Structure formats: C-alpha cells, structure tokens
Amino acid sequence: MIIKKSNRLVLGNWKMHGSILENTILLSKLRNVDHSLHCDFGILAPFPYLSQVLTILHGTKICWGAQNISMYNFGAYTGEVSAAMLKEFGCSLVLVGHSERRILYKETNLDIAGKASAALSLDITPVVCFGETLDEYNSKKTFSVIESQVSSILELGGKSVSRMIFSYEPVWAIGSGSAASPEYAQDIHAFIRGMLHQVGADSIRILYGGSVKASNAASFFVMPDIDGALVGNASLVTDDFLGITKL
Ligand code: PEP
C-alpha cells in the first residue's frame, strides 16, 4: 500500500487482545467496507494472529502489521520475532517504541532505533511512538522528553526517517478514556515536525494516540500537523473503529 501524507491514516493497536473467533468476525467486517468512504487504515495484531490476518485481509487495501520486532535478523534470541518473519506474513507496518514496551519491558531509545532500522531493512514501515508519562507532564518535561526520544531516531538520518510513521502518544492519555486536548497534541506535533524538518523528513505522517474514539477523532484530524490516529481500545469494536476511519 502506498502511504501518502495527504491521506489520513488510522491504525488499530489490538494490544494483547483477540481470539481466532473474535478476530474472524472483526476482520471480515473490515474487509467488506467500501474504501471510498474511509481513510487509509490498518491493524496491528498479536504475533500468533498474523497468519489469520494475512488470510482474511489479503487482496484488500487494508494494511497490517505487528506490535513489536526484534532488532536482530536471526539467532539465539528466544521469544523474539525478526523482520523477515513479519515480512512472510505480509506485514507492511510494525509498532516500535510503544510506551507499554518502553515502560513495562524497559526498551531504551537505542533499542527502539535498532528495531526501526531492522524494520526498514526489509521495507517494513516502523510506526515509532513517543510520549511523556504523567510525572513528566506534571513536571513540565514534555518537550525535553519528546526531544530526546525523537532525536535518537533522527540519528538514523533523514533518508531513513522519511520512510517511517511517527505517533505521539501521551502516556497519561492511553487507555484512560480521556484524550489530550487537540490543541495540546497539535503543539507537540508541530514541535516534532520542526525536528523532522532539520533532517529533511518534513512529509512523514505523525499520528496522535491516546483515547481516540469516534466522538473526539474529528477534533484531532482538523489540526494541521495531525495526520491520523493510533487507536487502542476503540479498534476492538468494529463499529467504533470504522466510525473513526469514516470521518
Ligand atoms: C494505544 O494503545 O496506543 C492507545 C492509544 O490506546 P487507547 O486508544 O486505548 O488509549
């Protein structure tokens, strides 16, 4: 799928949810949508279901990917999944640096850059996530946190970064039911856009994530530097997810 900045992108992050039966129902509804009424959209599924996603979505305009990737190509890395393995299951995208992985699994900026590179090496688009925690937000460290997270990815160079998607996700908004205000998110997106300009990667898409639903998504989409959404909970209910992609 060709991803253009002019087209809005909405990605559903299933996290560790789903079952073969539930996925069949959800994916079958997604595959039957009239794409002329929806923006570009895709889903990020748990590893064991990628084969099922490939089978049901193959031949559609919907893109899909995984929620994590190894920074290594192969070898003695028990439990890890390589870029080549994701490629075999038709993944065109992979989440990298989601806050749940940064916080719960202690992934560092260096790990995240390594994973983004591994994805790019096989033409899988990394969707790189950035965001401040509640403590950092309360102590007014948002811009410095975002600057250090984004800088470590920009070290990969403008050419590489131009092939990525970024997603700003304030950690305090994820799964809380309460999104950031669109104006607040726009300020951070504009800040990230300024950093991207310095490496000549002006036109990549920057998604907003954190309690996006059909009832608030439009207020983000009107913002000049918000190019779509990364959606967690609302992506598990087909009508809620399609309510966002249809705006
Ligand atoms: C996410 O998982 O990245 C996310 C944004 O979740 P939610 O939409 O549930 O806040």
Side-chain angles (χ1 to χ4, degrees):
M1 178 183 138
I2 300 165
I3 291 177
K4 297 194 208 102
K5 182 186 178 298
S6 55
N7 295 333
R8 182 183 307 147
L9 177 66
V10 173
L11 295 176
N13 172 18
W14 289 2
K15 310 197 190 205
M16 199 173 71
H17 293 293
S19 68
I20 291 174
L21 179 62
E22 285 168 354
N23 305 344
T24 303
I25 297 167
L26 199 156
L27 292 167
S28 306
K29 281 194 192 164
L30 294 185
R31 74 157 286 132
N32 287 326
V33 300
D34 174 355
H35 282 279
S36 65
L37 302 176
H38 296 262
C39 67
D40 288 348
F41 67 91
I43 56 112
L44 301 154
F47 293 133
Y49 299 131
L50 290 175
S51 162
Q52 183 189 20
V53 174
L54 169 68
T55 304
I56 300 180
L57 296 187
H58 183 71
T60 70
K61 288 185 177 168
I62 305 168
C63 54
W64 66 90
Q67 300 166 14
N68 190 19
I69 184 171
S70 173
M71 69 181 94
Y72 304 109
N73 292 338
F74 59 87
Y77 301 105
T78 302
E80 292 289 287
V81 173
S82 71
M85 293 171 187
L86 297 184
K87 195 84 187 172
E88 281 204 290
F89 288 93
C91 293
S92 60
L93 302 162
V94 66
L95 270 187
V96 171
H98 190 280
S99 61
E100 286 150 20
R101 298 223 49 97
R102 289 181 188 262
I103 295 167
L104 301 173
Y105 301 99
K106 311 280 178 256
E107 288 187 5
T108 64
N109 284 336
L110 207 61
D111 296 332
I112 291 157
K115 288 172 181 231
S117 281
L120 287 178
S121 73
L122 285 185
D123 269 331
I124 297 173
T125 303
V127 180
V128 190
C129 304
F130 310 98
E132 79 283 12
T133 63
L134 184 60
D135 275 355
E136 291 161 345
Y137 171 80
N138 285 335
S139 48
K140 307 211 179 317
K141 289 188 186 144
T142 298
F143 285 94
S144 62
V145 168
I146 299 297
E147 185 169 26
S148 91
Q149 292 177 347
V150 173
S151 298
S152 73
I153 288 292
L154 298 191
E155 277 175 31
L156 296 175
K159 235 173 146 183
S160 294
V161 176
S162 300
R163 297 165 58 210
M164 299 181 186
I165 294 169
F166 278 10
S167 186
Y168 168 59
E169 300 203 294
V171 180
W172 44 270
I174 295 177
S176 69
S178 255
S181 76
E183 295 75 18
Y184 176 83
Q186 165 57 28
D187 279 354
I188 312 297
H189 280 230
F191 177 69
I192 296 173
R193 188 80 69 200
M195 293 184 75
L196 286 167
H197 180 66
Q198 289 165 20
V199 297
D202 306 72
S203 62
I204 72 165
R205 294 205 262 200
I206 311 177
L207 314 182
Y208 166 78
S211 296
V212 173
K213 331 168 215 219
S215 57
N216 64 14
S219 61
F220 290 98
F221 296 159
V222 294
M223 293 294 159
D225 290 299
I226 299 183
D227 305 309
L230 181 56
V231 182
N233 285 332
S235 71
L236 299 171
V237 180
T238 324
D239 290 344
D240 292 354
F241 187 57
L242 291 176
I244 300 169
T245 62
K246 217 171 177 174
L247 288 168

